[in-house]
Amino acid sequence: MADYDYDLFVIGGGSGGVRAARVAAGEAGAKVALAEEDRYGGTCVIRGCVPKKLMVFASEFSDVAEVGNAYGWNMTSGTFDWQNFRSHLNNELDRLEGVYRSLLKNSGVDTFDARAKLKDKHTVELSDGQTKTAKTILVATGGRPVRPDMPNAHLGIVSDDIFHLETLPKSILIIGGGYIACEFACILHGLGVEVTQYYRGAQILRGFDDEARGLIAEAMRDRGIDLHTGTNIVQMGLASDDHTESGPTGSDAAMGASVQQENVMANDGTADEASAGRGGPIWVKATNGRERVFDMVLFATGRDPNTDDMGLEDLGIEIGRRGEIVVDEYSKTAADSVYAIGDVTNRVNLTPVAIREGMAFVETAFKDNPTAVDHDLIPSAIFTQPEMGTVGLSEEDARDREEIEVFCTSFRPMKTAFAGKPDRVLMKLVVSKETRKVLGCHIVAPDAGEMIQLAGVAIKMGATKEDFDRTVAVHPTMSEEIVTMRTPMRTA
């Protein structure tokens, strides 16, 4: 039997990689090492879920005085202090990174603050010049936000940059219609930024339930977000530059621009990202011909897996169209000794899923208990204002599969209706006509994420509509509507 430095070497110190490392070491008794080139905690803890949710909380205080006055409190609106908030935020992220480091240390995991790549199927080469061998290697390098391939794209920022801004802009254009774009549109609007959002599709939040995403789009516009669907950016540059003669646009390359023009665009789009958002006001031209100037542009147009320059393809490991590592149901790659979990595999890109995949990997590789992760019926939340919580099939997906009944209601919730606000919420169940099982649940409401976690338990267990009906309502709450809807609104 070959001798290795470690039983397991994990590349990536995000939530999935850290969980796999410490469980393999602490529960399976494996000798484990982990390498991380940036901060421990990964996207979720350092530049994703956690700081974003704290910004959501901060943004929700903007209308406290308005609502409080309706309830009899003599309140005046204050101003948001970004520097004060950012200081507290950085302290919290430092604390959480320390927790992650301590978890690894207390589990007996050796850590290397360095970039790692695969030299062969059992050898990892570190950026500090060291090489380490391991019987098994786990790649958990996550993903990264990407900019579009267009001239001057470097002038815009991406989601990672939001948390490092020295000051908030007075105005911002957000490009994209996914959950990251919509969440930051709501966050920044709540913090006092004038927000405009362009999305090239017909409706934001593609892939989610149509009725739910329609309500969110309506709410965003009602709150003052200047949301434009069917609209994209075609040119951008510094407002101080002369834009009377336009060169090739981002769409020219796809429509036959010359090779020379394409090379110019590629060079412009890969300029120093350190200058992102710092060049002054940005001039933008949209597909509808309108030209505007914004203090900042945020690209929320997608994320790619972190697989560049890792030596994967040299080992015969298959890489997918988006750059993802292709794995089987047990997270194993084409190389028997190499596994991959989390966003780098581009399966279900959610932190709790990466953690589940990490635990399943340990069961498979170190506990002789082959375990595949169940990626079906995963609850999720979108932290817009109002939030969306969802689990299971949308109405559109469900009706393509079988005959369904749709139970839904939309109403003004008690708290904000009393204050005279127009806010509306949605409660929706998609039910199989044949089995009576609840195929999907979609909630648009304040704290929808908290509600959908509990609804997800029932739906994962295979609850029927009649099971929901037999549950006594908690009154007065918004969520009681989930168990009091008796008549379907429509069938399909």
Side-chain angles (χ1 to χ4, degrees):
M1 180 178 177
D3 291 328
Y4 300 106
D5 296 324
Y6 295 98
D7 299 313
L8 171 65
F9 199 105
V10 179
I11 304 176
S15 297
V18 168
R19 177 63 64 91
R22 66 187 188 89
V23 173
E27 296 183 9
K31 186 178 181 182
V32 181
L34 181 147
E36 169 56 51
E37 66 174 324
D38 197 353
R39 300 187 65 181
Y40 287 71
T43 295
C44 179
V45 174
I46 302 301
R47 51 193 169 270
C49 322
V50 172
K52 175 196 70 182
K53 190 66 183 289
L54 292 171
M55 288 184 72
V56 169
F57 291 147
S59 69
E60 289 176 337
F61 284 95
S62 59
D63 65 351
V64 165
E66 179 186 356
V67 175
N69 285 327
Y71 279 88
W73 291 88
N74 185 14
M75 303 174 71
T76 57
S77 295
T79 57
F80 178 68
D81 187 339
W82 169 250
Q83 299 298 333
N84 184 29
F85 170 79
R86 198 176 69 138
S87 175
H88 281 81
L89 177 64
N90 289 336
N91 289 339
E92 178 63 7
L93 299 185
D94 289 345
R95 184 188 72 81
L96 291 172
E97 183 181 15
V99 169
Y100 269 67
R101 287 181 177 272
S102 294
L103 288 171
L104 290 168
K105 181 180 179 181
N106 294 339
S107 297
V109 177
D110 292 341
T111 56
F112 298 90
D113 295 351
R115 190 179 195 279
K117 61 186 294 184
L118 279 73
K119 188 174 182 180
D120 61 42
K121 295 180 181 180
H122 294 284
T123 306
V124 171
E125 182 178 7
L126 301 176
S127 56
D128 61 8
Q130 297 185 75
T131 58
K132 299 294 177 181
T133 59
K135 182 179 180 181
T136 303
I137 297 171
L138 177 65
V139 181
T141 48
R144 67 188 185 280
V146 294
R147 290 175 172 82
D149 183 14
M150 66 176 294
N152 296 321
H154 67 282
L155 296 175
I157 64 172
V158 293
S159 58
D160 286 1
D161 302 318
I162 286 284
F163 312 108
H164 303 293
L165 295 177
E166 292 295 328
T167 58
L168 288 181
K170 292 183 178 179
S171 66
I172 191 168
L173 171 64
I174 299 177
I175 308 295
Y179 71 91
I180 294 175
C182 294
E183 287 176 339
F184 276 113
C186 293
I187 289 168
L188 293 171
H189 172 74
L191 299 181
V193 179
E194 180 183 319
V195 177
T196 301
Q197 183 176 351
Y198 290 171
Y199 176 53
R200 64 185 180 182
Q203 184 57 282
I204 59 171
L205 300 172
R206 181 171 61 89
F208 292 92
D209 185 86
D210 280 358
E211 191 171 14
R213 63 196 185 119
L215 181 57
I216 289 177
E218 180 184 340
M220 289 172 66
R221 290 187 173 106
D222 286 345
R223 287 171 178 262
I225 295 170
D226 189 15
L227 173 61
H228 297 261
T229 53
T231 306
N232 203 356
I233 183 175
V234 291
Q235 287 180 270
M236 66 185 298
L238 292 176
S240 56
D241 292 343
D242 182 7
H243 304 288
T244 55
E245 293 185 10
S246 60
T249 69
S251 60
D252 285 331
M255 299 179 67
S258 69
V259 173
Q260 183 179 4
Q261 286 175 327
E262 290 178 7
N263 288 336
V264 169
M265 290 193 295
N267 291 335
D268 285 346
T270 55
D272 182 11
E273 293 185 3
S275 64
R278 300 177 186 173
I282 300 172
W283 167 87
V284 168
K285 185 175 182 178
T287 49
N288 59 14
R290 188 176 184 187
E291 300 180 29
R292 296 181 63 181
V293 173
F294 300 92
D295 289 337
M296 195 167 286
V297 173
L298 166 65
F299 289 111
T301 50
R303 296 177 62 85
D304 283 348
N306 285 323
T307 54
D308 294 348
D309 191 30
M310 290 195 63
L312 298 167
E313 292 172 294
D314 294 340
L315 305 182
I317 295 173
E318 184 180 356
I319 302 297
R321 183 176 60 86
R322 292 292 301 272
E324 74 274 16
I325 298 176
V326 177
V327 295
D328 65 14
E329 66 269 34
Y330 301 106
S331 298
K332 182 184 286 188
T333 72
D336 285 345
S337 59
V338 181
Y339 292 74
I341 61 169
D343 289 8
V344 76
T345 65
N346 198 32
R347 289 177 284 182
V348 179
N349 297 338
L350 296 169
T351 298
V353 175
I355 291 171
R356 284 292 184 96
E357 290 171 354
M359 296 171 69
F361 155 75
V362 174
E363 291 289 328
T364 299
F366 291 96
K367 295 187 178 182
D368 196 26
N369 178 31
T371 303
V373 173
D374 182 2
H375 290 106
D376 190 32
L377 294 175
I378 295 172
S380 63
I382 303 172
F383 296 103
T384 46
Q385 296 173 17
E387 293 178 13
M388 181 200 294
T390 181
V391 61
L393 298 177
S394 67
E395 177 181 346
E396 295 70 41
D397 287 340
R399 74 187 181 201
D400 288 342
R401 298 189 183 193
E402 60 179 289
E403 292 187 346
I404 60 170
E405 294 179 343
V406 177
F407 297 80
C408 61
T409 181
S410 180
F411 56 93
R412 295 173 65 200
M414 179 188 295
K415 180 179 179 180
T416 50
F418 182 84
K421 296 177 70 66
D423 303 16
R424 298 191 68 83
V425 301
L426 172 72
M427 304 287 164
K428 181 172 185 176
L429 296 177
V430 180
V431 179
S432 167
K433 267 191 175 182
E434 181 182 1
T435 67
R436 306 302 300 158
K437 282 187 176 181
V438 178
L439 303 175
C441 177
H442 311 283
I443 300 173
V444 177
D447 297 320
E450 305 290 344
M451 299 183 211
I452 206 68
Q453 179 70 82
L454 301 179
V457 175
I459 293 171
K460 188 70 173 178
M461 294 175 67
T464 65
K465 178 61 170 66
E466 286 66 35
D467 291 327
F468 276 71
D469 293 343
R470 282 193 293 270
T471 304
V472 176
V474 177
H475 181 75
T477 64
M478 292 180 291
S479 57
E480 68 180 289
E481 298 293 334
I482 286 291
V483 299
T484 58
M485 296 183 288
R486 293 292 185 263
T487 304
M489 289 291 290
R490 55 189 172 272
T491 61

